[in-house]
Amino acid sequence: MVTKHTVSARRLCWAALVAVVACLAFLPVIGVATSSGVPSVVAVPLGPVMSQRETDGIYTAQRDIGYSAPTRSGQSLWIFGDTQPIYAPGRFHRGDPVFIPSATAILGPITKLVPPQRDVEVHVGHPPGSSASGLGEFLPQPADTYLRDGSGRACVKPPAAYPARWLLGEQLIPGSQKLLLAYVDVCVYAETQFDVEGWGYAIFNPLTFTFTTRPTDIVRPRKSGAAMTATLWDSPLFTSPTRLSFFNSICYRMVNSVCTRSTFKTVSVPFTSKGLASLFTTSPTVMTMPDGSPFTTLDSVVSTFQPTPRGPVEYLDVEQLDESGNVAFLVARVPTGPWRQVATTHLPGCPLHPASNAVGFFPPECYSIRAHAEYDAGNQLLVTYFNFAVRWKGRYLGDHLMAVRVTLPSQQYVRVR
């Protein structure tokens, strides 16, 4: 089993959309230079993201990534990455999980600007309140990932640690109660060592707690164990009831852990099985800034692009500028841009100094920064991020997702309805 710090260090690289094993060689990052004309706003702590069993003190679930999407029933489904529970004294029982690869999930009601505190753990095939009430695997581990040695052997321990499916995004399907999930298949070895071997999607029904379309690989892992060479399309967004946009960024030149040359593209495909398959053959579009120039990387260490739908023709991006909790916010009316920076902030509890490098810094500090549109209240955003040393109300949680409230300047925030 890979330790939690090892898992988290891996996810630092993964949080920047890693598509290859050698993270330093082709670290997909993008960032935006902070302009003196862009206001800095205060991030107000709201507390940790907790399940009901965590709030009740049964365990602390150290989950290092957090996506969310609203459901038609007025709830939100949160999906996390690899999860390691730390049980309170006397709370561990034989059979309880000590580590869950791939993903776990919680479900609960949406309260504006309030992070989950009493959400229930999701067990696929079991409704809340059933006997299956504790931690459980949400995305099943892939059965078709292979060792990188070309032997054709399955990704198993040893020499690997475990196979996993890591989420790339989730979105409510327009006109449906179902959620579309995108993921990658990986073979994990240790620390920052893992191979992204495949890409796929699934459709989950939160009313029946079942996958109506089970995880389906479009890019299938090869028996050679070679890393996927196809473009790693991330962050699915419905731009209409019948079309999806995906995003990709690649850094081509790193100088002192700063990306100085990159490309950032988006692609739009029909929301059909054939459309999703065409994702890897459709010509992408380069995204732009207000002056018409390509959306490019400037003065960034590690960053992720996480566009969030805010309305019919409006999108918000939360940019992680480094490992130290510095964040920029951008808005656009269409995914291709132009993207306009409207504010920056520094996340509380993150170090003020930059990390030593993009991947080699161990352990990483703050990353996996995301906005959750269903929890927003006007120009007030709920933003979550992963921190290694969380203490809340006298309780030490260690590795955990924290939530903050960020208020964007109303005069600069474009709302199109």
Side-chain angles (χ1 to χ4, degrees), residues 112-126:
K112 298 296 184 180
L113 300 176
V114 177
Q117 295 291 301
R118 305 290 300 175
D119 285 19
V120 295
E121 303 282 354
V122 172
H123 277 248
V124 176
H126 299 276

Side-chain angles (χ1 to χ4, degrees), residues 10-24 26-28 166 168 184 186 192 194-196 232 234 249 359:
R10 253 196 351 268
R11 279 307 179 87
L12 170 64
C13 195
W14 173 245
L17 312 185
V18 172
V20 292
V21 179
C23 300
L24 278 174
F26 295 90
L27 180 65
W166 288 342
L168 296 173
V184 286
V186 297
T192 59
F194 61 90
D195 293 336
V196 177
L232 180 61
D234 195 285
S249 62
V359 176

Side-chain angles (χ1 to χ4, degrees), residues 73-388:
S73 61
Q75 297 181 305
S76 184
L77 178 71
W78 288 70
I79 304 177
F80 308 94
D82 302 336
T83 299
Q84 181 173 327
I86 306 299
Y87 293 90
R91 293 289 195 166
F92 178 78
H93 300 92
R94 182 185 295 271
D96 286 343
V98 295
F99 178 73
I100 300 176
S102 283
T104 58
I106 61 175
L107 179 72
I110 299 169
T111 302
K112 298 296 184 180
L113 300 176
V114 177
Q117 295 291 301
R118 305 290 300 175
D119 285 19
V120 295
E121 303 282 354
V122 172
H123 277 248
V124 176
H126 299 276
S130 66
S131 57
S133 58
L135 281 166
E137 180 184 73
F138 181 72
L139 276 177
Q141 293 176 269
D144 59 349
T145 52
Y146 303 93
L147 297 177
R148 63 172 65 147
D149 59 11
S151 65
R153 292 184 297 158
C155 174
V156 294
K157 184 178 180 178
Y162 56 87
R165 282 194 171 103
W166 288 342
L167 196 68
L168 296 173
E170 60 167 324
Q171 285 288 304
L172 177 66
I173 299 172
S176 169
Q177 74 272 18
K178 301 174 185 177
L179 296 164
L180 172 71
L181 316 178
Y183 64 83
V184 286
D185 298 314
V186 297
C187 181
V188 179
Y189 289 87
E191 298 182 354
T192 59
Q193 306 259 336
F194 61 90
D195 293 336
V196 177
E197 298 185 16
W199 189 102
Y201 73 98
I203 297 177
F204 182 72
N205 188 333
L207 298 181
T208 62
F209 293 88
T210 60
F211 284 97
T212 56
T213 298
R214 293 194 59 78
T216 303
D217 289 345
I218 290 179
V219 177
R220 298 181 63 85
R222 294 171 287 180
K223 287 194 174 182
S224 65
M228 187 177 103
T229 57
T231 300
L232 180 61
W233 293 111
D234 195 285
S235 302
L237 281 176
F238 281 95
T239 55
S240 78
T242 59
R243 293 199 72 83
L244 277 165
S245 285
F246 289 82
F247 302 85
N248 174 263
S249 62
I250 296 179
C251 179
Y252 289 101
R253 186 168 185 264
M254 297 283 288
V255 177
N256 296 327
S257 301
V258 174
C259 187
T260 60
R261 187 167 67 88
S262 64
T263 62
F264 186 38
K265 300 178 180 180
T266 182
V267 67
S268 177
V269 296
F271 177 50
T272 62
S273 56
K274 286 186 177 181
L276 288 168
S278 73
L279 185 61
F280 298 93
T281 57
T282 301
S283 297
T285 300
V286 175
M287 299 175 62
T288 62
M289 298 299 284
D291 63 359
S293 63
F295 198 114
T296 187
T297 299
L298 297 171
D299 303 326
S300 179
V301 179
V302 176
S303 60
T304 54
F305 184 81
Q306 294 139 6
T308 301
R310 296 277 299 177
V313 284
E314 182 181 86
Y315 301 91
L316 168 75
D317 168 39
V318 179
E319 280 287 345
Q320 176 182 335
L321 299 179
D322 54 32
E323 299 167 352
S324 303
N326 294 308
V327 179
F329 299 90
L330 294 91
V331 294
R333 297 189 179 189
V334 293
T336 53
W339 287 90
R340 182 171 63 91
Q341 187 176 353
V342 296
T344 62
T345 194
H346 181 267
L347 300 172
C350 301
L352 292 173
H353 59 83
S356 59
N357 58 57
V359 176
F361 181 74
F362 183 79
E365 300 291 348
C366 292
Y367 65 97
S368 188
I369 303 167
R370 285 178 170 78
H372 304 270
E374 68 270 32
Y375 290 85
D376 291 353
N379 63 329
Q380 296 183 85
L381 315 178
L382 187 143
V383 176
T384 61
Y385 61 101
F386 183 83
N387 197 335
F388 265 82

Side-chain angles (χ1 to χ4, degrees), residues 47-48 50 60 389-398 402:
M50 305 276 278
T60 295
V390 173
R391 182 178 294 276
W392 186 254
K393 295 183 177 180
R395 182 180 173 188
Y396 182 71
L397 303 177
M402 285 293 290

